[in-house]
């Protein structure tokens, strides 16, 4: 089994690199105190050196990705950091009363999704690409069959739940509206930025937000 069968292409045609983070559907950031929760979660996870929180939003589906900016989240090893550090999903799932998914996507190894609701782990699944049993050799699979197989994996299933394609979900860190919040920012300033990313009252959105 060749690695890389989980790969997805970016808009420029390059294969996406490994990444991880936290995903949730959210109507609004209003009253959530996201920066305070992010700082509290870092302390609980014992993570040092983080400088920011990257927030990416698909406005049409109201899907939000959160990822720390710091030395421990860089590269493949940084993507896998999210497999074991779940303080923010625990806190956020309780504060926002939503399900929060911690995820790892590594196109050369596998993908994993771990769900939290009301502060507790409520599910999860993992696929290791080299362990996947193919009905036919990879080079004999047509595009439709290959896409169907990928959509049944954790990131594909989660994309379906969010109303997105798997490719759109995997591209979320790159092409969605987003902003890096400095963790030392005043909470009120961060709240204003978040409100602009996911307005409470939304007008018609441009097609670029559809992904």
């Amino acid at each position: 089994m060749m690695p890389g069968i989980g790969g997805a292409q970016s808009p420029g045609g390059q294969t996406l690199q490994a990444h991880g983070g936290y995903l949730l559907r959210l109507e609004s950031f209003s009253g959530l105190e996201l920066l305070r929760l992010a700082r509290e979660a870092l302390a609980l996870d014992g993570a040092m050196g983080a400088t920011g929180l990257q927030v990416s939003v698909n406005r049409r589906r109201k899907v939000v990705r959160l990822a720390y900016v710091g030395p421990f989240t860089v590269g493949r090893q940084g993507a896998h950091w999210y497999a074991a550090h779940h303080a923010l999903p625990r806190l956020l799932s309780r504060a926002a009363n939503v399900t929060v998914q911690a995820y790892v996507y590594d196109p050369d190894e596998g993908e994993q999704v771990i769900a939290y609701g009301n502060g507790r782990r409520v599910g999860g699944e993992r696929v290791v690409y080299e362990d996947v049993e193919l009905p036919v050799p990879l080079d004999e699979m047509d595009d439709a069959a290959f896409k169907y197989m990928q959509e049944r994996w954790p990131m594909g299933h989660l994309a379906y739940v969010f109303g997105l394609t798997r490719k759109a979900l995997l591209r979320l860190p790159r092409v969605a509206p987003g902003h890096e919040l400095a963790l030392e920012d005043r909470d009120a300033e961060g709240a204003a930025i978040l409100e602009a990313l996911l307005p409470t009252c939304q007008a018609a959105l441009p097609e670029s937000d559809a992904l």
Side-chain angles (χ1 to χ4, degrees), residues 12 20 23 35 43 45-46 58-59 64 74 139 142 151 153 161 204 208:
L23 293 161
L35 279 176
D45 275 332
N58 179 289
R59 293 193 186 113
V64 177
V74 175
D139 57 4
D142 61 35
E151 288 174 348
W153 296 342
V161 171
S208 60

Side-chain angles (χ1 to χ4, degrees), residues 3-5 29 53 75 112 132 154 172 207:
I5 65 172
F29 287 108
L53 183 70
Q112 183 175 14
V132 172
L172 187 60
E207 288 301 318

Side-chain angles (χ1 to χ4, degrees), residues 126-200:
R126 179 171 181 255
V127 163
V128 177
Y129 299 141
E130 68 178 10
D131 294 337
V132 172
E133 296 183 5
L134 299 178
V136 296
L138 185 60
D139 57 4
E140 296 179 13
M141 292 187 71
D142 61 35
D143 290 343
F146 185 61
K147 181 179 179 181
Y148 176 75
M149 179 181 69
Q150 288 184 315
E151 288 174 348
R152 298 175 65 186
W153 296 342
M155 295 303 293
H157 177 71
L158 183 57
Y160 174 80
V161 171
F162 285 148
L164 297 171
T165 65
R166 182 176 184 273
K167 180 183 290 187
L169 187 62
L170 292 177
R171 287 165 45 191
L172 187 60
R174 288 194 174 190
V175 302
H179 190 88
E180 181 180 325
L181 299 176
L183 289 173
E184 65 271 17
D185 276 355
R186 293 184 178 180
D187 289 2
E189 295 172 354
I193 294 170
L194 292 170
E195 175 66 19
L197 288 176
L198 188 62
T200 302

Side-chain angles (χ1 to χ4, degrees), residues 41-80:
L42 281 173
L44 291 171
D45 275 332
M48 303 293 291
T51 59
L53 183 70
Q54 181 68 36
V55 184
S56 304
V57 176
N58 179 289
R59 293 193 186 113
R60 186 172 296 276
R61 297 300 184 185
K62 300 183 179 180
V63 176
V64 177
R65 174 186 179 262
L66 306 172
Y68 286 113
V69 179
F72 54 87
T73 61
V74 175
R76 288 186 66 194
Q77 183 175 351
H80 287 271

Side-chain angles (χ1 to χ4, degrees), residues 83-140:
H85 297 86
H86 302 155
L88 186 54
R90 289 199 302 269
L91 295 175
L92 192 53
S93 66
R94 185 183 296 115
N97 194 29
V98 296
T99 301
V100 182
Q101 318 276 351
Y103 82 93
V104 177
Y105 166 70
D106 184 341
D108 292 322
E109 182 175 324
E111 56 195 69
Q112 183 175 14
V113 171
I114 303 164
Y116 282 82
N118 195 28
R120 300 186 301 273
R121 180 167 175 165
V122 293
E125 56 179 333
R126 179 171 181 255
V127 163
V128 177
Y129 299 141
E130 68 178 10
D131 294 337
V132 172
E133 296 183 5
L134 299 178
V136 296
L138 185 60
D139 57 4
E140 296 179 13

